[in-house]
Amino acid sequence: MSRPRITLLTDSGAGGEHVGALHAVLAAGCPDADRIELANDLAPGDVRWGAVVLARLAPLLPDAVHLAVVDPGVGTERLGVAVATAGGGALVGPDNGLLGLAADRMGAHAAVALPVPSDAPATFHGRDVFAPAAARLAAGVLVSDLGEPIDPAAIVRPALPAARTGAGRVEATAIGSDRFGNVTLLAGADELTDAGLAAGDGVTVSTAGGAFAAAVGRTFADVAPGEALVYLDSHGHLALAVNGGAAWDELGLCRDERVAVERR
Amino acid sequence: MSRPRITLLTDSGAGGEHVGALHAVLAAGCPDADRIELANDLAPGDVRWGAVVLARLAPLLPDAVHLAVVDPGVGTERLGVAVATAGGGALVGPDNGLLGLAADRMGAHAAVALPVPSDAPATFHGRDVFAPAAARLAAGVLVSDLGEPIDPAAIVRPALPAARTGAGRVEATAIGSDRFGNVTLLAGADELTDAGLAAGDGVTVSTAGGAFAAAVGRTFADVAPGEALVYLDSHGHLALAVNGGAAWDELGLCRDERVAVERR
Amino acid sequence: MSRPRITLLTDSGAGGEHVGALHAVLAAGCPDADRIELANDLAPGDVRWGAVVLARLAPLLPDAVHLAVVDPGVGTERLGVAVATAGGGALVGPDNGLLGLAADRMGAHAAVALPVPSDAPATFHGRDVFAPAAARLAAGVLVSDLGEPIDPAAIVRPALPAARTGAGRVEATAIGSDRFGNVTLLAGADELTDAGLAAGDGVTVSTAGGAFAAAVGRTFADVAPGEALVYLDSHGHLALAVNGGAAWDELGLCRDERVAVERR
C-alpha cells in the first residue's frame, strides 16, 4: 500500500512561516505521509477562490487528506470540521465555505466538528486544530473518532454568484486569477453553449473599467500577442487571458466583478 | 524508525532556484530524508527575523536537522557551523546570529566549525557547505565528525533590542511580519502583564509614522474590520494586526522600528 | 535502491495552483517518488532563463526525471518531448528551447514526441501530457515506450546571444536574475580571462540606463555595502551584484539587455 497523502491549501503565502508550521506538525504527526502543496498563494482571506481551487484540485487525489486553511474568522464561533469523502479521503479546515464545493464534488458522507484545545491560541487553528486532525486521519484514525458528528449536508457552501446567459451573451463573476493573470469566471461550457458562442467568434468583454475586443478560442496562441482570449480553461471554467500578458491586470479587474462577454 | 528529517529556512525566495539547489543536494546526499520547508520568504539578509522564525519553528521537530541559510556574509571569515541539539537534532548554517535563538531554546550541547572546500565558490555555502553537512547528519553522521569542535556557548546570538514596560505601556521593536502583514514585536505575555494591559483594553499604538487607536484582544475578529488589534500571537509574541488588513503596511512600519502600545 | 526522483521547474509561481496540479498528478502516478521543486518562480513565459536554470540544476540529480513546464505555446504545434539522458534520467517538457541546454550538458541519447490525448484541454499540457509522462518514467517506464522516436540532436536549443570580449572588456547579455537581484550574464570564466580581468580590478558596468563603477571580486562583501560587484557566480556564470542590494533593480536592467564590463 502506498504512503498516506496530505495536501495543503492556504492563504499563508508560498514559503511562509505558517505553511512551514503546518508542514512541521504534519511531519511530526504522520512521518510517513506524502505532503503535497496544492496552493499557498491564495489572496489573504479569499475563502471563495480557495473553495474553487480546492474543488478543482482535491479530486485529483480522492483518497488524500486535504488540509485547507483560509480562515479569517479563526478564533470565532465558526466551526472547524473534518469531512469524510467518498473516495476514502477527507477534507479538514474551517467551516466557512472553503470546503463546501469540494465536499459537493467529492461526495461527503460523514462530518465531525473538531474540538479546540482549551489552551490553544486563538489565531492559528491551522497549526493547533486542523493540522493535528489531518495528521491523525493520514495515520489511520477515522473522521468519526475526531469529534462530534455533524450533518455533512450542513457544511457551509460558498456563496457563488450565478452566471446569466442570453443570445450571444454570457455575464459572470470574476472569482480569481492565476499567476499568469488568467481570469476564472463562474461559468463554463454550458453557459457558452447557451449563449451560442464558439471558438472563432469575435466578442466584446465588458468590465467596470471598459470594453475590450477579444476572440473565443482554445488556447493563448489563438490570438495575436497582446490580444484578449475567451476560452474554457483546463478545469472547464470560462476564462479570460491575454496572449503573453496578464488579463486580470490589463482589464483592471476587481475581485467579484461582473464581466460580460458578448458577440461583436 | 521513521525517516530522517531535514528542514530548510532561507531568504532565497519561495520557489527560487537556490532553494531548488539546496533540495537537490539534500536529495542526492540523503535520499530517504523528509525535507520540510519551514520558511523561504524571509527578506534578503534578514538574519534577525530568520533567527526568530527558526526559534519558533525548529522546536516543533526536535530531532530534525535544521538547515538555515540567511548568509549575507557568505565567503567572508564568518564561520559555518553545525550544532547538536538536546532533542537529537542539529542546526546547520552560518554563525552570524541566525542559529543563536534556536540553539538557546533547543539546548546546544556540541558544535563544530564546518570546513569549506578549497574549490568552493565564495557565494553559495548553502549549497556547497551547509546542505552537504545537513545531508550527512540526516544520514547518521555525528556533528562531531563534521569539523573541529567549538564551544556551543559561543554560537553567535542575534542582537535583539529589549522591550521596556511602564504602567499601561509597552515599548518594543517590530522585528518582522508575516504574509498577512501581522507584526511581531519583541515582547510577550510578561511585558503585557507588567504593563497591566489585558484583553478589552483600548490602546494607542505609536510608531514613527503616527498614532493609531487599537484594542487588546485575542483574535482578529475581536475588532471591527479595518480596526487595529494588539494580541499575543500563536508563538506568544506581542503582535499587531488589522482585521482584514495588513498592519505592517497600514502602520507604515520599517524593520526594527520601535513601537509603543499605551493605554488610552 | 532509493526512491525515484522527479524534479519540477515551472513559471507557474511558487505556491501556485498549477504547481499543485502537477504535484497531484505526479503523486497519483508515482506515489513513491521524491518530488523536488527546482524552481517555480521563473517569469511567465521566460523559456530562455528557464533553460539556463534547468541546465544549472538538473545535473545535480543526473538520474532524476526532470519535468519542466514553461510553455507559452501550449496547444500549438510545438512538440512535447521526453529525452533520455546519459545519467539514467530524463527531461520532459515542451520542445521550445527549455530542455536544450540541459540536454547538451547531460547528454541526450534518445528522445520521443509525446502524444497529446485527444480530449486534453489546450492550455495545460503540463498536467495532461508532461506530468503523466514524468510519473510513468519515474515508475520505471522507458522513454522509448512513451511516444514516437525523434532525433535527440534535433531538440530545440534556446537562442542565447554570445558574449564578446576585447582587451579589458566583456560584453554579454543579462539573461536573468535571482531573488536577490543578482544578475546572470551569458559569459563565464573564459570571457573574464580573455578580457584580462581579475579579482581586484576596478571596472565600469555600462547598461542602457547608464554607467556604474564596480569591482571584480569573489563575494558580495568584497565591496562596500551598496557598491557593485562583478564576479563568477556559484554556477560559473559572470554575474553582477550589489552588496546588500538588488543589482537588477538598481542598474535598471531589462531582460536580454546587453551589459558591458570594462576596466576603469
Side-chain angles (χ1 to χ4, degrees), chain C:
Chain C
M1 194 181 139
S2 67
R3 55 182 168 156
R5 291 167 179 145
I6 307 172
T7 76
L8 295 89
L9 178 141
T10 80
D11 63 347
S12 295
E17 58 165 321
H18 304 314
V19 179
L22 297 182
H23 274 294
V25 170
L26 295 172
C30 187
D32 295 331
D34 184 8
R35 298 181 311 277
I36 300 158
E37 294 193 3
L38 293 184
N40 287 309
D41 68 348
L42 302 168
D46 195 348
V47 170
R48 297 198 300 167
W49 179 233
V52 170
V53 173
L54 186 65
R56 288 171 158 201
L57 298 181
L60 291 169
L61 296 169
D63 64 354
V65 177
H66 300 287
L67 168 62
V69 187
V70 180
D71 195 11
V74 62
T76 64
E77 306 225 323
R78 69 101 190 83
L79 289 181
V81 296
V83 181
T85 54
L91 302 164
V92 181
D95 189 25
N96 60 5
L98 182 62
L99 311 181
L101 278 185
D104 282 342
R105 204 163 293 185
M106 302 175 81
H109 62 79
V112 299
L114 297 168
V116 177
S118 60
D119 60 345
T123 54
F124 198 7
H125 287 184
R127 179 192 67 189
D128 300 325
V129 177
F130 304 131
R136 292 182 67 195
L137 291 171
V141 173
L142 297 176
V143 164
S144 55
D145 288 334
L146 289 181
E148 289 300 307
I150 59 172
D151 179 2
I155 296 297
V156 176
R157 270 66 187 175
L160 298 176
R164 298 172 59 133
T165 57
R169 187 172 199 278
V170 180
E171 182 195 305
T173 293
I175 191 70
S177 82
D178 66 10
R179 201 258 180 137
F180 302 101
N182 301 334
V183 179
T184 298
L185 301 179
L186 288 176
D190 289 349
E191 283 78 10
L192 207 59
T193 302
D194 284 354
L197 290 169
D201 288 348
V203 291
T204 300
V205 175
S206 302
T207 70
F212 305 83
V216 180
R218 289 167 47 263
T219 191
F220 313 115
D222 286 350
V223 296
E227 298 293 316
L229 174 77
V230 175
Y231 66 113
L232 293 172
D233 74 12
S234 64
H235 298 279
H237 277 112
L238 194 63
L240 308 176
V242 168
N243 184 11
W248 186 274
D249 299 325
E250 297 187 25
L251 273 53
L253 285 172
C254 296
R255 216 193 291 176
D256 293 336
E257 189 172 324
R258 293 293 279 188
V259 174
V261 175
E262 195 156 15
R263 191 193 314 278
R264 244 183 299 162

Side-chain angles (χ1 to χ4, degrees), chain B residues 72-166:
Chain B
V74 60
T76 64
E77 307 224 324
R78 68 102 191 82
L79 287 180
V81 296
V83 181
T85 54
L91 303 164
V92 180
D95 189 26
N96 60 5
L98 183 62
L99 311 181
L101 278 185
D104 282 343
R105 203 162 292 186
M106 302 176 80
H109 61 79
V112 298
L114 296 169
V116 177
S118 60
D119 60 345
T123 54
F124 198 6
H125 287 186
R127 180 191 67 186
D128 300 324
V129 176
F130 305 131
R136 292 181 68 194
L137 290 170
V141 172
L142 298 176
V143 164
S144 55
D145 288 334
L146 289 182
E148 290 299 309
I150 59 173
D151 179 3
I155 296 296
V156 175
R157 269 67 186 174
L160 298 177
R164 299 171 59 133
T165 58

Side-chain angles (χ1 to χ4, degrees), chain A residues 2-3 5 14 34-41 49 53 56-57 60-61 178-180 218-221 231 233-235, chain C residues 3 11-18 20-21 23-24 27-28 31-33 35 41-42 44 74-76 121-124 127:
Chain A
S2 67
R3 53 184 169 156
R5 291 168 179 143
D34 184 8
R35 298 182 309 278
I36 299 158
E37 294 193 4
L38 294 184
N40 286 309
D41 67 348
W49 177 234
V53 173
R56 289 171 158 203
L57 298 181
L60 291 170
L61 296 169
D178 64 10
R179 199 257 182 139
F180 303 100
R218 290 166 47 260
T219 190
F220 312 117
Y231 65 113
D233 74 12
S234 64
H235 299 278
Chain C
R3 55 182 168 156
D11 63 347
S12 295
E17 58 165 321
H18 304 314
H23 274 294
D32 295 331
R35 298 181 311 277
D41 68 348
L42 302 168
V74 62
T76 64
T123 54
F124 198 7
R127 179 192 67 189

Side-chain angles (χ1 to χ4, degrees), chain B residues 21-38:
Chain B
L22 297 181
H23 274 294
V25 170
L26 295 172
C30 187
D32 296 330
D34 184 9
R35 298 181 311 277
I36 300 158
E37 294 193 4
L38 294 183

